[in-house]
């Protein structure tokens, strides 16, 4: 089951953030794509950019799901501004997880669809490794 919420920004000038939490399972990819498309369409992105956003979210989420620990939750947050959308996806991952493979086809796809993509990892309060993929996509990205 998916949970979503609009999170108030810490700064009044910052755009609001929408968060979606789903099981880290491939069955949830359609939910992530649908929410990504709805947010992009609500903010009047052109159809090519909407498709780029959906594909980028799908690819990033798939990378995390494949490398996630059992019974984990994937968090996806969207922050839309006049310049584009920032998307952050994170999930607990195995310590040996290859989430950052710059020569893989999936990494090439992410680089092609976004203005920027980065991967980071850290340790959460429970001592688990959490990997995060940050994406930035502007409407002009589709014109590349």
């Amino acid at each position: 089951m998916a949970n979503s919420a609009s999170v108030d920004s810490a700064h009044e000038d910052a755009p609001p953030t929408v968060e979606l939490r789903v099981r880290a399972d491939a069955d949830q990819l359609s939910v992530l794509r649908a929410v990504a498309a709805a947010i992009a369409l609500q903010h009047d992105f052109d159809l090519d950019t909407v498709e780029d956003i959906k594909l980028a979210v799908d690819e990033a989420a798939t990378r995390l799901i494949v490398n996630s620990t059992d019974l984990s939750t994937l968090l996806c947050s969207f922050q839309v501004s006049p310049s584009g959308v920032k998307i952050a996806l994170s999930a607990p991952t195995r310590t040996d997880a290859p989430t950052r493979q710059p020569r893989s086809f999936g990494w090439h796809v992410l680089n092609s669809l976004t203005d920027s993509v980065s991967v980071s990892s850290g340790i959460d309060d429970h001592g688990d490794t959490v990997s995060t993929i940050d994406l930035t996509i502007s409407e002009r990205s589709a014109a590349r």
Side-chain angles (χ1 to χ4, degrees):
M1 174 176 274
N3 296 328
S4 66
S6 179
V7 179
D8 292 333
S9 299
H11 307 288
E12 286 184 26
D13 296 334
T17 301
V18 175
E19 288 187 351
L20 176 67
R21 294 175 191 270
V22 296
R23 280 187 332 271
D25 188 279
D27 291 345
Q28 300 299 311
L29 289 172
S30 60
V31 172
L32 292 170
R33 284 191 306 268
V35 170
I39 290 169
L41 288 168
Q42 180 183 16
H43 288 87
D44 295 325
F45 283 93
D46 64 62
L47 293 179
D48 288 335
T49 304
V50 172
E51 288 302 315
D52 285 353
I53 291 169
K54 285 172 42 180
L55 286 170
V57 165
D58 187 273
E59 183 59 39
T62 298
R63 290 178 90 67
L64 291 171
I65 289 168
V66 166
N67 295 299
S68 68
T69 58
D70 291 336
L71 304 173
S72 58
T73 299
L74 185 139
L75 169 65
C76 184
S77 66
F78 301 87
Q79 188 174 46
V80 180
S81 68
S83 62
V85 61
K86 292 182 181 181
I87 305 165
L89 299 101
S90 61
T93 53
R94 298 183 316 274
T95 54
D96 64 339
T99 54
R100 189 185 313 208
Q101 293 178 336
R103 294 180 188 236
S104 70
F105 179 73
W107 191 256
H108 177 71
V109 168
L110 282 174
N111 278 316
S112 298
L113 296 171
T114 64
D115 293 319
S116 68
V117 58
S118 65
V119 179
S120 60
S121 60
I123 305 297
D124 69 6
D125 296 338
H126 306 290
D128 297 324
T129 300
V130 175
S131 296
T132 302
I133 300 176
D134 292 301
L135 311 170
T136 303
I137 303 172
S138 63
E139 192 155 11
R140 69 183 190 290
S141 297
R144 280 192 242 149

